[in-house]
Short mmCIF file of all heavy atoms in Angstrom, two decimals:
data_model
loop_
_atom_site.label_atom_id
_atom_site.label_comp_id
_atom_site.label_asym_id
_atom_site.label_seq_id
_atom_site.Cartn_x
_atom_site.Cartn_y
_atom_site.Cartn_z
N SER I 168 -12.90 -1.02 -28.94
CA SER I 168 -13.57 -0.03 -29.78
C SER I 168 -12.57 1.17 -30.16
O SER I 168 -12.92 1.97 -31.05
CB SER I 168 -14.70 0.59 -29.11
OG SER I 168 -14.42 1.22 -27.85
N HIS I 169 -11.39 1.22 -29.55
CA HIS I 169 -10.47 2.39 -29.92
C HIS I 169 -9.20 1.74 -30.61
O HIS I 169 -9.27 1.24 -31.65
CB HIS I 169 -10.08 3.12 -28.64
CG HIS I 169 -11.17 4.06 -28.28
ND1 HIS I 169 -11.06 5.49 -28.39
CD2 HIS I 169 -12.37 3.89 -27.75
CE1 HIS I 169 -12.18 6.09 -28.06
NE2 HIS I 169 -12.96 5.17 -27.59
N TYR I 170 -8.11 1.86 -29.88
CA TYR I 170 -6.81 1.49 -30.52
C TYR I 170 -6.19 0.33 -29.87
O TYR I 170 -6.29 0.06 -28.66
CB TYR I 170 -5.88 2.71 -30.41
CG TYR I 170 -6.47 4.02 -30.82
CD1 TYR I 170 -6.84 4.96 -29.96
CD2 TYR I 170 -6.66 4.24 -32.18
CE1 TYR I 170 -7.32 6.16 -30.28
CE2 TYR I 170 -7.19 5.50 -32.59
CZ TYR I 170 -7.53 6.45 -31.64
OH TYR I 170 -8.06 7.63 -32.03
N GLU I 171 -5.50 -0.53 -30.72
CA GLU I 171 -4.76 -1.66 -30.22
C GLU I 171 -3.51 -1.12 -29.46
O GLU I 171 -2.84 -0.15 -29.87
CB GLU I 171 -4.35 -2.56 -31.33
CG GLU I 171 -3.62 -3.85 -30.95
CD GLU I 171 -3.25 -4.58 -32.21
OE1 GLU I 171 -3.62 -4.26 -33.35
OE2 GLU I 171 -2.45 -5.55 -31.99
N GLU I 172 -3.21 -1.77 -28.37
CA GLU I 172 -2.03 -1.38 -27.57
C GLU I 172 -0.77 -1.41 -28.40
O GLU I 172 -0.49 -2.39 -29.16
CB GLU I 172 -1.83 -2.29 -26.36
CG GLU I 172 -0.65 -1.77 -25.36
CD GLU I 172 -0.57 -2.59 -24.12
OE1 GLU I 172 -1.34 -2.30 -23.17
OE2 GLU I 172 0.14 -3.57 -24.12
N GLY I 173 0.09 -0.39 -28.27
CA GLY I 173 1.25 -0.30 -29.09
C GLY I 173 2.52 -0.41 -28.25
O GLY I 173 2.56 -1.33 -27.35
N TRP I 174 3.55 0.47 -28.42
CA TRP I 174 4.75 0.28 -27.66
C TRP I 174 4.57 0.63 -26.17
O TRP I 174 5.39 0.12 -25.41
CB TRP I 174 5.80 1.28 -28.25
CG TRP I 174 5.42 2.75 -28.10
CD1 TRP I 174 4.83 3.52 -29.02
CD2 TRP I 174 5.87 3.60 -26.96
NE1 TRP I 174 4.67 4.83 -28.46
CE2 TRP I 174 5.31 4.85 -27.32
CE3 TRP I 174 6.51 3.39 -25.88
CZ2 TRP I 174 5.57 6.02 -26.40
CZ3 TRP I 174 6.72 4.50 -24.94
CH2 TRP I 174 6.25 5.68 -25.32
N PHE I 175 3.53 1.34 -25.81
CA PHE I 175 3.39 1.79 -24.40
C PHE I 175 2.40 0.85 -23.73
O PHE I 175 1.27 0.70 -24.07
CB PHE I 175 2.86 3.25 -24.38
CG PHE I 175 2.74 3.82 -23.07
CD1 PHE I 175 3.87 4.47 -22.47
CD2 PHE I 175 1.61 3.72 -22.27
CE1 PHE I 175 3.81 5.04 -21.20
CE2 PHE I 175 1.51 4.27 -21.03
CZ PHE I 175 2.58 4.92 -20.54
N SER I 176 2.88 0.28 -22.54
CA SER I 176 2.01 -0.43 -21.65
C SER I 176 1.81 0.33 -20.40
O SER I 176 2.81 0.77 -19.76
CB SER I 176 2.72 -1.80 -21.33
OG SER I 176 2.16 -2.37 -20.17
N TYR I 177 0.62 0.50 -19.95
CA TYR I 177 0.30 1.30 -18.73
C TYR I 177 0.93 0.63 -17.56
O TYR I 177 1.44 1.34 -16.62
CB TYR I 177 -1.15 1.44 -18.56
CG TYR I 177 -1.78 2.37 -19.54
CD1 TYR I 177 -2.37 1.96 -20.80
CD2 TYR I 177 -1.84 3.82 -19.40
CE1 TYR I 177 -2.91 2.74 -21.76
CE2 TYR I 177 -2.38 4.64 -20.27
CZ TYR I 177 -2.88 4.12 -21.46
OH TYR I 177 -3.49 4.98 -22.47
N GLU I 178 0.97 -0.69 -17.59
CA GLU I 178 1.48 -1.36 -16.37
C GLU I 178 2.98 -1.37 -16.33
O GLU I 178 3.61 -1.21 -15.23
CB GLU I 178 1.00 -2.79 -16.34
CG GLU I 178 -0.43 -3.06 -16.06
CD GLU I 178 -1.40 -2.68 -17.22
OE1 GLU I 178 -0.89 -2.57 -18.29
OE2 GLU I 178 -2.61 -2.61 -16.89
N HIS I 179 3.71 -1.45 -17.47
CA HIS I 179 5.13 -1.54 -17.54
C HIS I 179 5.85 -0.23 -17.80
O HIS I 179 7.06 -0.06 -17.50
CB HIS I 179 5.54 -2.62 -18.51
CG HIS I 179 5.05 -4.01 -18.14
ND1 HIS I 179 4.01 -4.65 -18.88
CD2 HIS I 179 5.28 -4.78 -17.14
CE1 HIS I 179 3.72 -5.76 -18.31
NE2 HIS I 179 4.46 -5.95 -17.19
N ASP I 180 5.16 0.71 -18.49
CA ASP I 180 5.73 1.96 -18.90
C ASP I 180 5.06 3.15 -18.24
O ASP I 180 5.64 4.27 -18.42
CB ASP I 180 5.65 2.10 -20.40
CG ASP I 180 6.26 0.95 -21.19
OD1 ASP I 180 7.55 0.74 -20.99
OD2 ASP I 180 5.62 0.24 -21.95
N GLY I 181 3.91 2.98 -17.64
CA GLY I 181 3.11 4.04 -17.04
C GLY I 181 3.77 4.81 -15.99
O GLY I 181 4.78 4.30 -15.38
N PHE I 182 3.29 5.97 -15.57
CA PHE I 182 3.89 6.82 -14.64
C PHE I 182 3.03 6.90 -13.32
O PHE I 182 3.17 7.84 -12.58
CB PHE I 182 3.98 8.22 -15.14
CG PHE I 182 4.73 8.25 -16.54
CD1 PHE I 182 3.95 8.59 -17.63
CD2 PHE I 182 6.05 7.93 -16.69
CE1 PHE I 182 4.57 8.57 -18.88
CE2 PHE I 182 6.69 7.83 -17.84
CZ PHE I 182 5.90 8.16 -19.03
N GLY I 183 2.23 5.85 -13.07
CA GLY I 183 1.46 5.75 -11.87
C GLY I 183 0.67 4.48 -11.82
O GLY I 183 0.68 3.72 -12.76
N PRO I 184 -0.06 4.20 -10.73
CA PRO I 184 -0.87 3.00 -10.63
C PRO I 184 -1.98 2.92 -11.63
O PRO I 184 -2.63 3.95 -11.93
CB PRO I 184 -1.32 3.01 -9.16
CG PRO I 184 -1.33 4.52 -8.83
CD PRO I 184 -0.17 5.10 -9.50
N VAL I 185 -2.32 1.73 -12.08
CA VAL I 185 -3.44 1.48 -12.92
C VAL I 185 -4.56 0.90 -12.03
O VAL I 185 -4.42 -0.16 -11.46
CB VAL I 185 -3.15 0.51 -14.12
CG1 VAL I 185 -4.42 0.16 -14.88
CG2 VAL I 185 -1.97 1.03 -14.95
N ILE I 186 -5.73 1.58 -11.91
CA ILE I 186 -6.76 1.22 -11.00
C ILE I 186 -8.11 1.05 -11.72
O ILE I 186 -8.40 1.89 -12.61
CB ILE I 186 -6.87 2.28 -9.87
CG1 ILE I 186 -5.55 2.37 -9.12
CG2 ILE I 186 -8.02 1.94 -8.88
CD1 ILE I 186 -5.46 3.49 -8.08
N GLU I 187 -8.92 0.05 -11.32
CA GLU I 187 -10.15 -0.24 -12.13
C GLU I 187 -11.37 0.09 -11.43
O GLU I 187 -12.47 0.05 -11.94
CB GLU I 187 -10.13 -1.69 -12.52
CG GLU I 187 -9.04 -2.06 -13.49
CD GLU I 187 -9.09 -3.48 -14.05
OE1 GLU I 187 -10.15 -4.09 -13.80
OE2 GLU I 187 -8.15 -3.96 -14.68
N ASN I 188 -11.32 0.55 -10.07
CA ASN I 188 -12.53 0.92 -9.37
C ASN I 188 -12.44 2.24 -8.62
O ASN I 188 -11.29 2.58 -8.20
CB ASN I 188 -13.06 -0.21 -8.49
CG ASN I 188 -12.05 -0.36 -7.32
OD1 ASN I 188 -12.20 0.28 -6.26
ND2 ASN I 188 -11.19 -1.35 -7.40
N LYS I 189 -13.41 2.95 -8.54
CA LYS I 189 -13.52 4.20 -7.91
C LYS I 189 -12.91 4.30 -6.44
O LYS I 189 -12.14 5.21 -6.13
CB LYS I 189 -14.85 4.81 -7.94
CG LYS I 189 -15.17 6.06 -7.09
CD LYS I 189 -16.56 6.45 -6.90
CE LYS I 189 -17.29 5.47 -6.08
NZ LYS I 189 -17.28 5.79 -4.65
N ASN I 190 -13.34 3.31 -5.64
CA ASN I 190 -12.96 3.39 -4.19
C ASN I 190 -11.41 3.33 -4.13
O ASN I 190 -10.76 3.93 -3.25
CB ASN I 190 -13.54 2.22 -3.45
CG ASN I 190 -15.12 2.41 -3.32
OD1 ASN I 190 -15.57 3.59 -3.39
ND2 ASN I 190 -15.83 1.40 -3.05
N ALA I 191 -10.80 2.48 -4.95
CA ALA I 191 -9.36 2.34 -4.93
C ALA I 191 -8.66 3.62 -5.38
O ALA I 191 -7.56 4.00 -4.94
CB ALA I 191 -8.91 1.14 -5.77
N VAL I 192 -9.23 4.30 -6.34
CA VAL I 192 -8.72 5.56 -6.79
C VAL I 192 -8.78 6.64 -5.60
O VAL I 192 -7.69 7.25 -5.33
CB VAL I 192 -9.59 6.15 -8.02
CG1 VAL I 192 -9.17 7.59 -8.26
CG2 VAL I 192 -9.27 5.32 -9.20
N VAL I 193 -9.77 6.71 -4.97
CA VAL I 193 -9.99 7.61 -3.81
C VAL I 193 -8.99 7.24 -2.78
O VAL I 193 -8.40 8.18 -2.13
CB VAL I 193 -11.45 7.52 -3.25
CG1 VAL I 193 -11.52 8.36 -1.95
CG2 VAL I 193 -12.42 8.09 -4.27
N ALA I 194 -8.77 5.99 -2.47
CA ALA I 194 -7.82 5.54 -1.47
C ALA I 194 -6.33 5.90 -1.82
O ALA I 194 -5.52 6.21 -0.93
CB ALA I 194 -7.95 4.03 -1.27
N ALA I 195 -6.05 5.95 -3.16
CA ALA I 195 -4.68 6.19 -3.51
C ALA I 195 -4.33 7.61 -3.58
O ALA I 195 -3.12 8.00 -3.59
CB ALA I 195 -4.53 5.52 -4.96
N ILE I 196 -5.28 8.51 -3.62
CA ILE I 196 -5.08 9.95 -3.77
C ILE I 196 -4.19 10.56 -2.67
O ILE I 196 -3.24 11.28 -3.04
CB ILE I 196 -6.44 10.68 -3.91
CG1 ILE I 196 -7.02 10.37 -5.29
CG2 ILE I 196 -6.20 12.24 -3.71
CD1 ILE I 196 -8.42 10.97 -5.54
N PRO I 197 -4.53 10.42 -1.36
CA PRO I 197 -3.71 11.08 -0.40
C PRO I 197 -2.24 10.91 -0.39
O PRO I 197 -1.44 11.80 -0.26
CB PRO I 197 -4.32 10.58 0.96
CG PRO I 197 -5.63 10.21 0.61
CD PRO I 197 -5.59 9.65 -0.77
N ASP I 198 -1.84 9.58 -0.59
CA ASP I 198 -0.33 9.32 -0.61
C ASP I 198 0.26 9.95 -1.80
O ASP I 198 1.37 10.63 -1.66
CB ASP I 198 -0.14 7.82 -0.64
CG ASP I 198 1.35 7.47 -0.76
OD1 ASP I 198 2.13 7.88 0.17
OD2 ASP I 198 1.68 6.85 -1.81
N LEU I 199 -0.30 9.84 -2.99
CA LEU I 199 0.37 10.45 -4.23
C LEU I 199 0.32 11.94 -4.19
O LEU I 199 1.30 12.61 -4.58
CB LEU I 199 -0.42 9.93 -5.43
CG LEU I 199 -0.19 8.44 -5.76
CD1 LEU I 199 -1.16 7.97 -6.88
CD2 LEU I 199 1.24 8.25 -6.25
N PHE I 200 -0.76 12.47 -3.63
CA PHE I 200 -0.84 13.94 -3.53
C PHE I 200 0.28 14.55 -2.67
O PHE I 200 0.82 15.66 -2.88
CB PHE I 200 -2.17 14.44 -3.06
CG PHE I 200 -2.45 15.87 -3.20
CD1 PHE I 200 -2.94 16.38 -4.45
CD2 PHE I 200 -2.23 16.76 -2.15
CE1 PHE I 200 -3.18 17.81 -4.58
CE2 PHE I 200 -2.44 18.11 -2.31
CZ PHE I 200 -2.87 18.63 -3.56
N THR I 201 0.49 13.85 -1.50
CA THR I 201 1.51 14.29 -0.48
C THR I 201 2.83 14.02 -0.88
O THR I 201 3.80 14.82 -0.79
CB THR I 201 1.16 13.60 0.81
OG1 THR I 201 -0.22 13.96 1.31
CG2 THR I 201 2.13 14.10 1.90
N ASN I 202 3.11 12.82 -1.41
CA ASN I 202 4.53 12.34 -1.59
C ASN I 202 5.02 12.48 -3.06
O ASN I 202 6.16 12.31 -3.29
CB ASN I 202 4.62 10.91 -1.15
CG ASN I 202 4.39 10.72 0.36
OD1 ASN I 202 4.78 11.57 1.16
ND2 ASN I 202 3.65 9.72 0.69
N GLY I 203 4.15 12.67 -4.00
CA GLY I 203 4.55 12.89 -5.40
C GLY I 203 4.91 11.50 -6.08
O GLY I 203 4.62 10.44 -5.69
N MET I 204 5.52 11.71 -7.20
CA MET I 204 5.96 10.56 -8.06
C MET I 204 7.11 9.78 -7.41
O MET I 204 8.11 10.31 -6.98
CB MET I 204 6.39 11.05 -9.48
CG MET I 204 6.80 9.98 -10.44
SD MET I 204 7.24 10.63 -12.13
CE MET I 204 5.59 10.85 -12.82
N SER I 205 6.94 8.39 -7.35
CA SER I 205 7.93 7.60 -6.90
C SER I 205 9.00 7.37 -7.79
O SER I 205 8.99 7.64 -8.95
CB SER I 205 7.32 6.26 -6.36
OG SER I 205 6.93 5.56 -7.51
N GLN I 206 10.19 6.82 -7.27
CA GLN I 206 11.45 6.60 -8.06
C GLN I 206 11.28 5.78 -9.35
O GLN I 206 11.76 6.08 -10.38
CB GLN I 206 12.52 6.01 -7.19
CG GLN I 206 13.90 5.97 -7.74
CD GLN I 206 14.41 7.33 -8.25
OE1 GLN I 206 14.22 8.33 -7.53
NE2 GLN I 206 15.09 7.44 -9.40
N ILE I 207 10.49 4.75 -9.19
CA ILE I 207 10.26 3.82 -10.34
C ILE I 207 9.64 4.57 -11.47
O ILE I 207 10.03 4.37 -12.72
CB ILE I 207 9.42 2.63 -10.01
CG1 ILE I 207 9.38 1.69 -11.14
CG2 ILE I 207 8.04 3.00 -9.52
CD1 ILE I 207 8.75 0.30 -10.84
N TYR I 208 8.73 5.47 -11.20
CA TYR I 208 8.12 6.23 -12.24
C TYR I 208 8.98 7.40 -12.81
O TYR I 208 8.97 7.65 -13.97
CB TYR I 208 6.70 6.79 -11.78
CG TYR I 208 5.80 5.73 -11.36
CD1 TYR I 208 5.17 5.78 -10.08
CD2 TYR I 208 5.49 4.68 -12.18
CE1 TYR I 208 4.33 4.76 -9.70
CE2 TYR I 208 4.62 3.61 -11.79
CZ TYR I 208 4.05 3.75 -10.60
OH TYR I 208 3.20 2.73 -10.17
N MET I 209 9.80 7.85 -11.89
CA MET I 209 10.86 8.85 -12.32
C MET I 209 11.78 8.27 -13.31
O MET I 209 12.17 8.93 -14.35
CB MET I 209 11.72 9.38 -11.13
CG MET I 209 10.88 10.10 -10.14
SD MET I 209 10.84 11.89 -10.49
CE MET I 209 10.28 12.59 -8.90
N GLU I 210 12.21 7.04 -13.12
CA GLU I 210 13.07 6.38 -14.04
C GLU I 210 12.47 6.16 -15.42
O GLU I 210 13.17 6.26 -16.44
CB GLU I 210 13.58 5.06 -13.44
CG GLU I 210 14.49 5.25 -12.26
CD GLU I 210 14.78 3.95 -11.43
OE1 GLU I 210 14.24 2.89 -11.93
OE2 GLU I 210 15.45 3.92 -10.48
N ARG I 211 11.12 5.86 -15.39
CA ARG I 211 10.43 5.73 -16.65
C ARG I 211 10.37 7.01 -17.46
O ARG I 211 10.46 7.08 -18.68
CB ARG I 211 9.01 5.19 -16.37
CG ARG I 211 9.06 3.76 -15.92
CD ARG I 211 7.63 3.19 -15.57
NE ARG I 211 7.65 1.91 -15.06
CZ ARG I 211 6.58 1.23 -14.64
NH1 ARG I 211 5.38 1.81 -14.85
NH2 ARG I 211 6.64 0.06 -14.12
N VAL I 212 10.12 8.11 -16.70
CA VAL I 212 10.20 9.43 -17.39
C VAL I 212 11.53 9.70 -18.03
O VAL I 212 11.55 10.09 -19.22
CB VAL I 212 9.83 10.54 -16.40
CG1 VAL I 212 10.12 11.89 -17.02
CG2 VAL I 212 8.47 10.48 -15.81
#
C-alpha cells in the first residue's frame, strides 16, 4: 500500500535488526541500549 523497495534494503543496508514481533523487540532492547551500535552497522553508516 505504500512504496516499492528502492536502493535501500533494511536487511542489507539497515542500521539495526529487523524484527517482526513485539516480544523479540523487547528482548533486543537491553543489549542495544547498553552496548550501542555494532561494527557492521557503523560500516554501513
Side-chain angles (χ1 to χ4, degrees):
S168 58
H169 280 253
Y170 310 106
E171 182 183 351
E172 186 173 276
W174 65 270
F175 185 89
S176 162
Y177 290 91
E178 288 77 13
H179 300 110
D180 302 301
F182 309 111
V185 178
I186 300 174
E187 296 185 11
N188 70 82
K189 174 194 61 93
N190 291 340
V192 169
V193 173
I196 287 172
D198 177 62
L199 288 170
F200 191 86
T201 301
N202 298 317
M204 182 179 279
S205 65
Q206 187 59 36
I207 185 173
Y208 301 127
M209 294 274 196
E210 291 170 1
R211 293 177 183 179
V212 171

